[in-house]
Amino acid sequence: MYYFTYLFSYMEIYVIRHTQVDVKSGTCYGQSEVALKSSFKEEAQRIKSELNVDFDIVFVSPFSRCTLLAEELGYSKYNKDKRLCELNFGQWELKEWANINVSEIDKWSKDIVNLRLPDGENLNDLYNRVSDFMNELIKKDYEKVLIITHAGVIRCLWAYLLEFPLKNLFRIPVDFGEIFSFSISKNKEMINIIRKS
């Protein structure tokens, strides 16, 4: 009975992480523009073959690694939303992790939820803007929605859906080009999650 109460009042949302980036291994990047690997078109084609869905609306992070994927998938009309940006690493952006002061990394790793990086964000900041986006979205009347974004945002979406502590966020693996979808009711009472590789 409970299931049927919400059967006709849910939104189906597909979420994709952008494809592989051409960044030196061990580099810290979040809100920085970075190039995509030469395999971009092949990766995008694989994603396209797995979608086969007509979306009412497409939302993307403003960074080119997300907008380019939207365009390659055939969605030229998309909506940029800054709330879907990756975590801002501030002064650490584009530095190699090995070159960042070890004591600063240790301090941050002990409280990644609350400790805000210099000129950057903490996990609470990221989660709050993602949850603000979602709370606004689920009030709309869309039936099928596509979101193209980053690993940090996707992990926050999992936390939003399952309500687990943010300190456990990085236990969730998120691969480049990974797709997952979920159905959610306007009051978050019905959630059904499907994960694809």
Side-chain angles (χ1 to χ4, degrees), residues 57-196:
I57 192 166
V58 178
F59 293 99
V60 300
S61 159
F63 288 95
S64 62
R65 52 193 185 272
C66 296
T67 60
L68 288 172
L69 179 56
E71 292 165 9
E72 189 67 23
L73 294 176
Y75 306 114
S76 57
K77 294 182 179 180
Y78 51 77
N79 297 268
K80 295 180 182 179
D81 197 305
K82 292 181 179 180
R83 292 172 293 183
L84 298 175
C85 290
E86 182 60 283
L87 180 72
N88 185 350
F89 286 94
Q91 295 178 13
W92 293 3
E93 289 279 342
L94 297 181
K95 288 185 177 181
E96 292 184 33
W97 287 101
N99 294 331
I100 299 173
N101 187 288
V102 175
S103 63
E104 291 183 14
I105 294 178
D106 287 343
K107 183 179 178 181
W108 177 63
S109 64
K110 290 176 182 176
D111 191 9
I112 59 175
V113 175
N114 300 299
L115 185 62
R116 188 171 286 115
L117 296 169
D119 298 325
E121 296 179 302
N122 59 31
L123 283 186
N124 267 324
D125 295 327
L126 176 59
Y127 178 79
N128 287 339
R129 54 182 168 83
V130 171
S131 60
D132 180 67
F133 171 85
M134 283 301 303
N135 288 336
E136 181 179 304
L137 177 61
I138 62 176
K139 294 176 183 176
K140 307 293 185 180
D141 292 325
Y142 305 124
E143 292 184 6
K144 294 184 185 295
V145 176
L146 175 62
I147 298 171
I148 302 175
T149 185
H150 310 269
V153 173
I154 292 172
R155 291 185 174 105
C156 284
L157 285 172
W158 281 97
Y160 176 87
L161 296 170
L162 302 179
E163 299 180 352
F164 60 75
L166 293 183
K167 66 180 182 179
N168 296 331
L169 213 63
F170 289 103
R171 296 181 182 180
I172 302 174
V174 182
D175 292 333
F176 290 108
E178 181 174 301
I179 305 169
F180 88 93
S181 64
F182 57 93
S183 300
I184 184 169
S185 61
K186 290 188 177 183
N187 54 8
K188 286 182 66 179
E189 291 296 335
M190 188 194 82
I191 298 173
N192 180 39
I193 301 174
I194 299 174
R195 189 168 190 171
K196 298 182 179 181

